[in-house]
Amino acid sequence: DEAASGEELLEVCWRRHFLRGGAEPRPALPWRAYLSGCHPGFGPLGVALRGNLAAQWWDSALAFREQVFAVDAPLHGPPAAGAPRAGQGFRLVHSETLGEALQGKGCSREPGGPSLEEVLGTAGMLRESLLPGALAQYVSCLELVNKRLPCGLAQIGVCFHSLPESEQLNRSLRRIGERTTSLLAWFSSPRTAGQWLDYWLRQRLQWWRKFAVGPSNFSSSDFQDEEGRRGFNLHYSFPWGTETIETLKNLGDTELLQMYPGDSSKLLGRDGRKNVIPHVLSVSGNLDRGVLAYLFDSLQLAENPLTKKKNSQRKVLKLHPCLAPLKVALDVGKGPTTELRQVCQGLFNELSENRISVWPGYLETMQVSLEQLYTKYDEMSVLFTVLITDATLENGVVQLRSRDTTMKEMMHISRLKDFLTKYVTSAKNV
């Protein structure tokens, strides 16, 4: 049954453009491809969902506005100091340069041409983590807080990773996946680092659960690495088992000292009256997996009013109002088409200007029944459907249908903007 629900969700997500798929005859890729980051990317609704999730993450990270700064770093950079010249990691090499170096391995190598080791040794490295880029900005950001601890650096960006051997198509050719990662690097005095780790664990678990229909599917487990450093993994329980969506780890001062060899005095921050080299707490999340978790969490099956057949249940994606890619769909009912579309266009502009995402259903030319329309919008996770009819032209009243209750109510068009804004805001503050 769980496998069936996974297949059903996959089909809905592909059909409603949350996920992009592969080639026919099986358009949607298996879930493992989306989890591993080796897929063609999200569709427009999936991109919007991830954007909303990222916006909520920024809100939570910057709740400590006086102490947390947003940073950015390039996707690739020069080989790290002390790294072996052609060592581990993903290298960025122009194909022509690589071709010349490979040709040089044969007899026709031109004198003075680069060797393969030289090419790889000087090639830029694709990032596998946001942490090095954040640590590189620690000293300059320390000045912004007048060297006062604790403080933090926050970033969201794409990182790359090697797929596990079990998912490689060819053992001798390594495949690369990518993921959208969130990072909060938190710098605190060594004496309070353990307390901060426990604090952020509570905060992050509460944050993931806040947007969930089934909060208990989000859980945590603790671990220790080879050096004995403490950490926690946050998981989501998918039908096939748990997957890690975020990792919290107390790194101590090792990475920071490696980043700034030599003069460690510039690393000193103020902890009360003492000057100390801070411990680094890394809070790193996989937002792509977070999107998949919330898609699974949101799927609900209900009776289909169009048919009483057992296998044709209505599928509703009950995404949290803050995460739903589309808050409202505007459609026209009975009445003069041109005038109704003009009303829709005006309403579309008003709602969009107030940052309420709208689906312009009134542009659709294919006639479908209202029930078919509601089924489509429920699968797209649209919170409300607004129907503009000839009654709207007469007295300004529209019909508002709720995704979650399926109830329909009449409302004056002038109240819509405030109603929708308050609805999303109140859901955010729960």
Side-chain angles (χ1 to χ4, degrees):
D1 193 39
E2 286 182 335
S5 72
E7 283 298 309
E8 282 185 335
L9 178 64
L10 194 57
E11 198 269 333
V12 169
C13 289
W14 174 78
R15 188 155 38 89
R16 297 305 177 201
H17 303 284
F18 282 93
L19 302 175
R20 288 177 61 204
E24 300 287 352
R26 180 182 166 77
L29 298 169
W31 281 116
R32 180 49 53 188
Y34 295 104
L35 280 165
S36 67
C38 196
H39 59 92
F42 292 145
L45 264 64
V47 170
L49 169 54
R50 185 176 60 196
N52 290 343
L53 186 61
Q56 295 302 317
W57 183 87
W58 277 116
D59 281 355
S60 69
L62 298 179
F64 288 80
R65 282 176 206 286
E66 304 96 333
Q67 299 149 282
V68 175
F69 300 99
V71 294
D72 200 6
L75 276 166
H76 63 89
R85 292 196 64 189
Q88 301 295 313
F90 308 130
R91 308 276 168 156
L92 208 57
V93 183
H94 197 288
S95 56
E96 284 182 15
T97 311
L98 188 60
E100 287 171 15
L102 288 171
Q103 272 186 344
K105 292 183 84 172
C107 305
S108 61
R109 177 174 172 180
E110 293 178 24
S115 72
L116 186 59
E117 191 175 298
E118 286 168 341
V119 167
L120 292 176
T122 56
M125 297 188 71
L126 284 175
R127 69 182 177 202
E128 297 177 58
S129 162
L130 296 178
L131 186 64
L135 293 182
Q137 300 182 59
Y138 164 72
V139 169
S140 58
C141 290
L142 192 61
E143 292 172 16
L144 288 171
V145 291
N146 199 21
K147 298 190 180 268
R148 188 180 63 250
L149 297 174
C151 62
L153 300 175
Q155 185 183 354
I156 287 178
V158 171
C159 291
F160 300 87
H161 55 268
S162 187
L163 296 191
E165 276 193 19
S166 57
E167 293 171 39
Q168 300 287 353
L169 299 177
N170 183 329
R171 287 285 167 98
S172 57
L173 293 173
R174 303 299 297 270
R175 291 168 75 215
I176 295 176
E178 63 176 74
R179 65 198 185 279
T180 303
T181 306
S182 59
L183 172 75
L184 174 65
W186 186 252
F187 306 92
S188 71
S189 67
R191 69 180 180 85
T192 58
Q195 293 166 285
W196 278 115
L197 181 63
D198 294 335
Y199 169 82
W200 284 114
L201 169 67
R202 288 193 304 273
Q203 288 290 318
R204 297 306 304 148
L205 191 55
Q206 191 179 358
W207 184 84
W208 285 105
R209 287 175 169 174
K210 172 181 174 178
F211 305 109
V213 178
S216 60
N217 283 321
F218 289 94
S219 61
S220 67
S221 64
D222 62 334
F223 67 85
Q224 277 195 335
D225 68 8
E226 300 81 19
E227 286 96 46
R229 300 184 293 189
R230 274 182 75 214
F232 294 95
N233 284 322
L234 302 187
H235 315 277
Y236 181 77
S237 297
F238 289 92
W240 54 83
T242 60
E243 302 281 355
T244 302
I245 53 170
E246 191 160 38
T247 299
L248 297 85
K249 194 172 179 183
N250 184 355
L251 299 172
D253 57 12
T254 311
E255 276 81 354
L256 204 54
L257 290 166
Q258 284 173 351
M259 180 65 69
Y260 297 92
D263 182 16
S264 61
S265 63
K266 59 187 174 187
L267 302 179
L268 292 170
R270 287 190 298 119
D271 172 34
R273 292 183 179 182
K274 279 186 180 176
N275 285 329
V276 294
I277 292 175
H279 278 198
V280 182
L281 175 63
S282 162
V283 183
S284 181
N286 185 331
L287 294 187
D288 292 343
R289 280 195 179 180
V291 165
L292 300 179
Y294 284 122
L295 286 171
F296 267 94
D297 172 76
S298 71
L299 178 66
Q300 303 219 333
L301 302 175
E303 273 191 27
N304 192 335
L306 293 173
T307 171
K308 294 288 180 247
K309 284 182 188 170
K310 201 173 182 183
N311 295 332
S312 61
Q313 290 169 301
R314 193 167 63 88
K315 302 172 191 75
V316 189
L317 292 188
K318 291 196 174 182
L319 287 166
H320 189 277
C322 293
L323 301 184
L326 297 160
K327 311 306 182 206
V328 62
L330 298 181
D331 276 87
V332 292
K334 289 176 183 172
T337 309
T338 309
E339 286 88 337
L340 294 179
R341 280 194 176 182
Q342 284 175 341
V343 173
C344 286
Q345 188 67 62
L347 192 53
F348 181 95
N349 292 340
E350 182 192 10
L351 296 176
S352 298
E353 283 165 10
N354 285 274
R355 298 187 177 279
I356 296 167
S357 49
V358 190
W359 179 259
Y362 56 89
L363 297 178
E364 181 60 72
T365 50
M366 251 180 67
Q367 287 295 311
V368 293
S369 72
L370 277 178
E371 281 306 329
Q372 287 171 312
L373 203 61
Y374 296 148
T375 299
K376 172 185 170 181
Y377 290 152
D378 285 346
E379 291 181 357
M380 290 168 70
S381 198
V382 179
L383 294 178
F384 294 99
T385 305
V386 172
L387 203 60
I388 310 289
T389 63
D390 47 11
T392 314
L393 299 176
E394 288 172 27
N395 53 27
V397 170
V398 300
Q399 180 187 287
L400 187 74
R401 185 258 187 191
S402 162
R403 174 198 74 186
D404 293 343
T405 66
T406 70
M407 300 290 285
K408 304 178 184 82
E409 62 175 301
M410 308 309 283
M411 182 180 288
H412 197 273
I413 195 167
S414 62
R415 286 186 54 219
L416 262 178
K417 174 176 69 75
D418 287 344
F419 168 79
L420 292 167
T421 304
K422 282 175 185 168
Y423 185 88
V424 175
T425 306
S426 60
K428 185 178 179 177
N429 295 332
V430 166

